[in-house]
Amino acid sequence: ILPLFIIYLFTKKRMKTLILIPSRLSATRLPGKPLLKINGLSVISHVVKKANESQVGEVFVATEDQEILDDVKNNGGEAILTSKNHKTGTDRIYEALIKLDKKDIDLVMNLQGDEPLINVDDIINLNNLMIKYKSKLGTLAANISNKDLIYNENVVKVKTKENLNTSKFPEAINFMRNSKDNNENIYHHLGVYCYEIETLKKFISFSQSENEKKYKLEQLRALDNKIKINVALAKSSPIGLDTEEDLIAIKKIMEYKSKWI
């Protein structure tokens, strides 16, 4: 007779996560950025590579552009075509989820397609905390080392109920572009989200809230509709790719790292 704990391990349902990466070519500040090359590989394929290294779950790019789909597949990744009419990346990943028809998925992680420096450990930690705390929606944030970023409206901040560390997963109180508050428990928000499936469906069913449209922050739709967002501490703040200067900085970092691999 098998010991009870072995029977438990065999019968316990393992939570399954799907990683979806929305990506499109029509960015205004840096057109065509998903296909820009760093170390001979496109930006979007670098993100796919990081997502696969996490081994959190299957990885698909959701895109409206055939060129992106072809690039991802040519580099060994998976991609799916979606509509050109989506207002947000979350709308795009939801369409991809429906089209992929993955019936056994519990969590969907939305990674940004323009952050090739995303830390693999942060992806893993967010997924683990979602499972541990049975959270409905989780995201990442990093410590702010440069206090000038508090007032930089291009850097999104999140205020949490408690201070962050690697094991805590506190709730977000607010997301903002410019903090006029005292700076206690305010962190640099990273645009990575992990949704419990039913929460993703609920989120998509809501219209864009006034705060979301006013501040151009999609996550405010969740808070405005009483969906709690838990926040995990990231190891660092990866540089987002929005300008030529960002591209130069990211290239320098990645080219330096590749010399030591």
Side-chain angles (χ1 to χ4, degrees):
I1 297 172
L2 287 171
L4 284 176
F5 79 92
I6 294 180
I7 295 172
Y8 172 77
L9 288 175
F10 276 108
T11 57
K12 184 176 184 293
K13 182 181 181 295
R14 180 178 175 270
M15 296 281 281
K16 287 191 71 173
T17 302
L18 177 68
I19 296 180
L20 295 174
I21 307 169
S23 184
R24 62 195 180 100
L25 289 173
S26 54
T28 52
R29 283 197 285 178
L30 191 59
K33 67 179 176 180
L35 299 182
L36 296 174
K37 295 286 197 296
I38 300 174
N39 291 344
L41 189 66
S42 67
V43 167
I44 186 62
S45 287
H46 275 294
V47 178
V48 171
K49 187 170 177 246
K50 287 288 188 73
N52 279 320
E53 284 173 8
S54 74
Q55 297 186 334
V56 158
E58 285 187 279
V59 179
F60 287 84
V61 172
T63 183
E64 63 185 47
D65 302 294
Q66 185 67 43
E67 300 97 315
I68 291 177
L69 182 138
D70 292 341
D71 179 88
V72 170
K73 291 196 169 185
N74 288 340
N75 287 301
E78 297 286 347
I80 186 167
L81 279 177
T82 55
S83 166
K84 293 180 181 289
N85 300 320
H86 291 305
K87 292 180 180 177
T88 69
T90 310
D91 295 312
R92 189 176 305 284
I93 66 161
Y94 185 68
E95 183 195 348
L97 176 67
I98 298 302
K99 282 189 169 180
L100 288 167
D101 196 29
K102 301 281 185 182
K103 301 292 188 187
D104 58 345
I105 296 300
D106 302 289
L107 301 172
V108 174
M109 191 174 295
N110 178 353
L111 290 188
Q112 300 301 305
D114 60 355
E115 292 192 355
L117 293 175
I118 185 73
N119 191 304
V120 172
D121 290 341
D122 291 334
I123 298 172
I124 295 168
N125 189 44
L126 176 58
N127 189 68
N128 289 342
L129 289 172
M130 286 290 297
I131 295 167
K132 178 180 177 181
Y133 287 92
K134 297 182 174 62
S135 178
K136 302 296 184 183
L137 173 55
T139 191
L140 288 171
N143 287 311
I144 297 175
S145 52
N146 180 350
K147 295 305 178 185
D148 290 340
L149 296 181
I150 290 283
Y151 308 103
N152 183 340
E153 295 200 352
N154 292 319
V155 175
V156 179
K157 274 72 68 176
V158 57
K159 184 176 180 67
T160 55
K161 281 188 175 180
E162 305 170 59
N163 67 306
L164 292 185
N165 62 42
T166 52
S167 60
K168 283 183 180 178
F169 204 30
E171 281 180 40
I173 297 173
N174 194 16
F175 294 85
M176 65 213 83
R177 293 191 175 276
N178 190 344
S179 173
K180 299 186 173 87
D181 206 343
N182 69 51
N183 296 330
E184 187 180 4
N185 297 341
I186 290 182
Y187 301 87
H188 177 189
H189 179 239
L190 310 184
V192 177
Y193 300 94
C194 194
Y195 293 86
E196 182 260 346
I197 284 285
E198 290 305 315
T199 301
L200 176 58
K201 290 177 183 175
K202 187 188 293 186
F203 180 90
I204 289 298
S205 73
F206 296 127
S207 300
Q208 287 185 292
S209 70
E210 290 306 310
N211 278 328
E212 175 185 0
K213 289 187 280 190
K214 180 179 178 180
Y215 297 106
K216 295 182 172 60
L217 294 175
E218 189 180 6
Q219 58 272 38
L220 291 176
R221 190 192 318 177
L223 294 187
D224 289 341
N225 286 285
K226 311 302 182 192
I227 297 175
K228 293 178 181 178
I229 304 177
N230 295 97
V231 185
L233 180 65
K235 287 189 170 182
S236 60
S237 304
I239 301 170
L241 181 54
D242 293 310
T243 65
E244 288 286 348
E245 290 75 17
D246 294 335
L247 179 62
I248 292 166
I250 291 170
K251 275 186 172 181
K252 283 182 179 176
I253 293 167
M254 294 184 73
E255 285 168 2
Y256 177 81
K257 283 183 176 178
S258 69
K259 291 177 183 177
W260 300 99
I261 295 175

